[in-house]
């Protein structure tokens, strides 16, 4: 037995004891079996993404070793790669590890310039991977020495495919890169219509590369020179992120996408199918007597082969009638057209839609699909099945024996509302569930009644803390307890993008995931006649010692997330609350600190407004050019709000940029940085909006824009009829005063405020909005604007009234700061959603208030809650990193909230901010324009001028 540990310092956060834990456990010699392929060299095993290997593994198993990357984290979707006797995996800290496959010890480590966001690939003695620094790397497997790098135009979130000495990598800059593996020479690039978050697949026999873009087209490119052979029709769905095409033996291209619709919408199709064909089925909706009757009736119908065919025909028809429900596509290799409508409907939904197809050793394509069959009748997920897809005709043959009903594990533990992914090892079909691995023999169609291994799904009360007690003692975790709660370790998205196990030789390599699991463990298992990895291990219950509790309080834990449902069991099991968090605010200290601030100190923030002085260089910088282009895009036509896709739960889709004041605020911030001609166009645009029937009509404008007027912002089509859509909450009515004032000040046009002042004047008496919405940043900014407007309009009585209201609001806002130096940055808002509420609706004025009085607090919060726990926060179309239960994507508001805090409170320099700009989330992206303004202003002098003259 061996033990390895090391310390890592991250972003000013103090860590104790471990940044990485490794245990290697000696076991008996492996069970004899067929000659084994001893590698898994890339995502889904090979360049065609078959998901299968000739190596065959059968239970029982023992754990060889495990690694916890608690301080580094693993991005969702990373699959361990096995080559040269090493397990190769990259972390969110940007470190690639070559772990000895037998001992679990490091052979070497290599640090890239940014987070490693996907799987590596290995060939010819080199390992290849992309990084968030925008580079593609090649490193020697023998010693970890850098061989070459190739720059791209954006962070790389893609797993390389290697064929015939060429490395193919998709870039988020929309280009597919073909690189000579031996020396890093760039052979060609091919521009597509959107970021490439789908990893490429190669058909070596046809000499083609296939990749899906975020424009929802699949591209077929010639492998030798990158010329486009075809582009598919635009597919339904919102993203291909995290998936990959699969090449069937006949050359057919199999594609999986994420739908816009929620699970409940798609599940209704299955219930409709059952009603039409069966009448009903046995379920929790009925009494035992009714269930017995329905079971007998259903089984009688299922004896008729036509019943199964009717189900598939029904699903085909519904998908043809409503393409927005399609998630799986079979594309003809010659034309890129759909060969047929596959009768496969949204098979899973924890956070993603499905498992990509796989190809078995006999060349048959295996898919997950839904139909009511005897083999899985009355299961938790009775419709979910596996079958062989005929890529010519579109028929699906069930794999399982239809003469009986399988049990819980021997039916592969297929679960409709949790992610599961398939792989195949010889003739053994594997289903990697979030926290266990199940298997079925394809020849005998017998499943194993116990999983190959187990892990924690959701821990028993106190167990998450007991696991940390083991870790802090430096003791090995029991088999099946390699689990750390998100919030206590770096989280990379968990089961947002699940991956199957990797199989090499007599072993498999597993990353357990769950939306409440940090997903920071890699576990190696080996066949062993005496293995017990399948056995259930009793819950751990060790309490923390006093010393461990002191250690925990110094660790960079996310105390806000740990106070939320499904994670609050961690907080409840601790000996106490941590001072300065929402669980134990420093209320008395806050009152005392606020009392020491005079009215004169606060009045500075009311009367002094920012004026940015340029460097005198009027040349067109890339940032200024990007801002001008973005403003032109915004004002040259009408835009609908951005409709953001639904998750499983909560099932609501959201509209962003629906509050007209957000557009006005953005234009007011951008205005000083635009050339005179464009400023003129912006003034005309705002005048139209402020007209009697415009979005800014009335004292503070409309609450929301019309949802169906204008161009669609997204690259994907939006089937709103399938969605339950709600508007993101915008500014309160008081908060609307700030964009109105800022526009008047920057443009010099005070006419609207002069006209509407009699109706705006009473706003100083309005009650503040909820604290969790934005920590009342918008309310404070609105009251600052109120006083300035009143002074401009020479309303002395309103000035005095506004002064009192603004002082009171600033004191309350600062009291929150002083009471919460270690938490209270993440807040919960409807529906089932969390945001960085403390940094929402920031303005330069509120940012200055917080910078002067609480800069050190915000530096600490940024170090812990962002740079440590969410190091990829700035990526557009990111995995869900907030506590939003079963949802796939982070909202664009998250990166905007964090970016503004860095710019307006922490005053980070332009060079640092610019690395977080990334890509717009959509066309006319208001948050992206605000980020550009912040970058432009970061290195220029800000003068705080008294608006009273």
């Amino acid at each position: 037995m061996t033990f390895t540990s090391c310390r890592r310092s991250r972003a000013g956060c103090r860590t104790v004891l471990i940044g990485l834990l490794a245990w290697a456990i000696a076991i008996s010699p492996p069970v004899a079996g067929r000659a084994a392929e001893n590698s898994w060299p890339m995502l889904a095993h090979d360049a065609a993404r078959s998901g299968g290997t000739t190596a065959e593994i059968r239970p029982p198993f023992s754990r060889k070793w495990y690694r916890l990357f608690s301080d580094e984290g693993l991005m969702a979707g990373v699959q361990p790669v096995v080559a040269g006797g090493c397990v190769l995996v990259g972390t969110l800290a940007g470190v690639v590890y070559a772990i000895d496959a037998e001992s679990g010890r490091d052979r070497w480590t290599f640090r890239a310039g940014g987070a490693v966001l996907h799987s590596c690939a290995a060939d010819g003695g080199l390992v290849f991977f992309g990084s968030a620094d925008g580079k593609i790397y090649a490193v020697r497997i023998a010693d970890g020495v850098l061989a070459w790098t190739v720059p791209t135009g954006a962070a790389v979130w893609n797993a390389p495919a290697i064929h015939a000495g060429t490395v193919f990598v998709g870039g988020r800059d929309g280009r597919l890169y073909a690189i000579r593996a031996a020396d890093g020479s760039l052979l060609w690039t091919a521009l597509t219509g959107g970021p490439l978050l789908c990893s490429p697949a190669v058909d070596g026999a046809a000499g083609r590369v296939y990749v899906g873009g975020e424009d929802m087209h699949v591209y077929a490119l010639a492998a030798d020179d990158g010329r486009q052979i075809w582009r598919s029709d635009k597919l339904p769905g919102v993203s291909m992120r995290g998936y990959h095409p699969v090449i069937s033996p006949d050359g057919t291209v199999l594609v999986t996408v994420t739908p816009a619709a929620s699970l409940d919408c798609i599940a209704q199709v299955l219930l409709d199918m059952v009603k039409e064909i069966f009448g009903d089925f046995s379920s929790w909706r009925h009494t035992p007597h009714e269930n017995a009757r329905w079971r007998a009736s259903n089984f009688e119908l299922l004896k008729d082969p036509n019943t199964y065919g009717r189900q598939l025909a029904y699903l085909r028809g519904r998908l043809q009638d409503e393409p927005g429900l399609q998630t799986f596509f079979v594309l003809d290799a010659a034309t890129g057209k759909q060969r047929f409508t596959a009768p496969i409907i949204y098979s899973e939904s924890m956070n993603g839609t499905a498992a990509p197809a796989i190809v078995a050793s006999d060349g048959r394509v295996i898919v997950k699909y839904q139909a009511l069959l005897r083999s899985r009748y009355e299961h938790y997920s009775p419709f979910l099945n596996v079958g062989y897809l005929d890529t010519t005709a579109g028929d699906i043959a069930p794999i399982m024996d239809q003469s009986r009903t399988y049990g819980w594990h021997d039916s592969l533990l297929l679960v409709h509302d949790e992610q599961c992914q398939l792989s195949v090892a010889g003739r053994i079909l594997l289903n990697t569930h979030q926290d266990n691995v199940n298997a079925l023999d394809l020849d005998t169609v017998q499943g194993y009644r116990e999983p190959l291994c187990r892990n924690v799904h959701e821990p028993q009360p106190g167990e998450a803390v007991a696991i940390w007690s083991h870790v802090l003692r430096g003791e090995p975790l029991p088999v099946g307890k390699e689990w750390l709660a998100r919030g206590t370790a770096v989280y990379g998205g968990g089961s947002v993008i699940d991956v199957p196990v990797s199989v090499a030789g007599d072993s498999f390599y597993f990353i357990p995931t769950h939306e409440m699991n940090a997903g920071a463990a890699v576990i190696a298992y080996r066949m062993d006649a005496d293995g017990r990895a399948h056995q259930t291990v009793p819950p751990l219950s060790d309490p923390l010692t006093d010393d461990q509790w002191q250690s925990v309080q110094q660790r960079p834990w996310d105390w806000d997330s740990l106070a939320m449902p499904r994670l609050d069991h961690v907080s409840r099991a601790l000996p106490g609350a941590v001072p300065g968090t929402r669980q134990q605010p420093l209320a008395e200290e806050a009152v005392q600190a606020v009392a020491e601030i005079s009215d004169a100190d606060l009045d500075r923030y009311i009367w002094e407004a920012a004026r940015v002085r340029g460097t005198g260089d009027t040349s067109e910088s890339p940032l200024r050019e990007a801002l001008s282009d973005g403003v032109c895009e915004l004002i040259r036509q009408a835009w609908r709000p951005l409709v953001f896709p639904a998750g499983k739960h909560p099932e609501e889709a959201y509209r962003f940029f629906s509050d007209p004041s957000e557009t006005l605020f953005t234009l007011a911030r951008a205005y000083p940085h635009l050339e005179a001609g464009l400023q003129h166009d912006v003034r005309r645009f705002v005048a139209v909006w402020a007209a009697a029937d415009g979005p800014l009509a009335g004292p503070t404008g409309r609450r929301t824009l019309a949802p169906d007027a204008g161009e669609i912002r997204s690259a994907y089509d939006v089937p709103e009829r399938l969605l339950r859509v709600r508007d993101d909450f915008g500014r309160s009515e008081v908060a609307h005063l700030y964009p109105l004032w800022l526009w008047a000040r920057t443009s010099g046009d005070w006419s609207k405020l002069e006209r509407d002042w009699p109706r705006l004047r009473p706003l100083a008496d309005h009650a503040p909005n909820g604290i969790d919405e934005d920590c009342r940043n918008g309310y404070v900014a609105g009251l600052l604007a109120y006083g300035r407007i009143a002074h401009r309009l020479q309303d002395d009585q309103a000035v005095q009234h506004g002064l009192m209201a603004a002082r009171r609001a600033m004191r309350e806002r600062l009291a929150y700061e002083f009471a919460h130096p270690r938490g209270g940055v993440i807040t919960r808002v409807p529906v089932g959603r969390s945001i960085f509420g403390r940094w929402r609706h920031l303005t330069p004025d509120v940012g200055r208030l917080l910078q002067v009085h609480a800069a050190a607090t915000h530096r600490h919060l940024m170090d812990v809650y962002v740079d440590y726990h969410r190091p990829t926060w700035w990526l557009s179309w990111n995995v869900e990193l907030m506590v939003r239960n079963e949802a796939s994507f982070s909202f664009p508001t998250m990166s905007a909230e964090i970016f503004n805090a860095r710019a307006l409170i922490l005053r980070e320099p332009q060079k640092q901010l610019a690395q977080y700009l990334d890509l717009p989330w959509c066309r006319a992206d208001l948050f992206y324009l605000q980020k550009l303004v912040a970058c432009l202003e970061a290195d220029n002098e800000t003068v705080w001028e008294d608006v009273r003259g």
Side-chain angles (χ1 to χ4, degrees), residues 44 48 112 118 244 284 290 314 349 381 533 572 641 768 858 883:
H118 215 320
H244 49 264
W284 55 269
E290 291 171 331
Y314 181 94
S349 89
S381 304
R572 291 197 304 270
H858 285 272
V883 179

Side-chain angles (χ1 to χ4, degrees), residues 738-760:
Y738 188 89
L740 293 169
W741 165 81
L742 184 63
W743 171 252
R745 181 172 188 259
T746 56
S747 70
D749 181 3
W750 291 84
S751 60
K752 176 175 172 55
L753 288 175
E754 291 168 350
R755 181 176 65 249
D756 292 330
W757 179 242
R759 290 189 289 173
L760 294 172

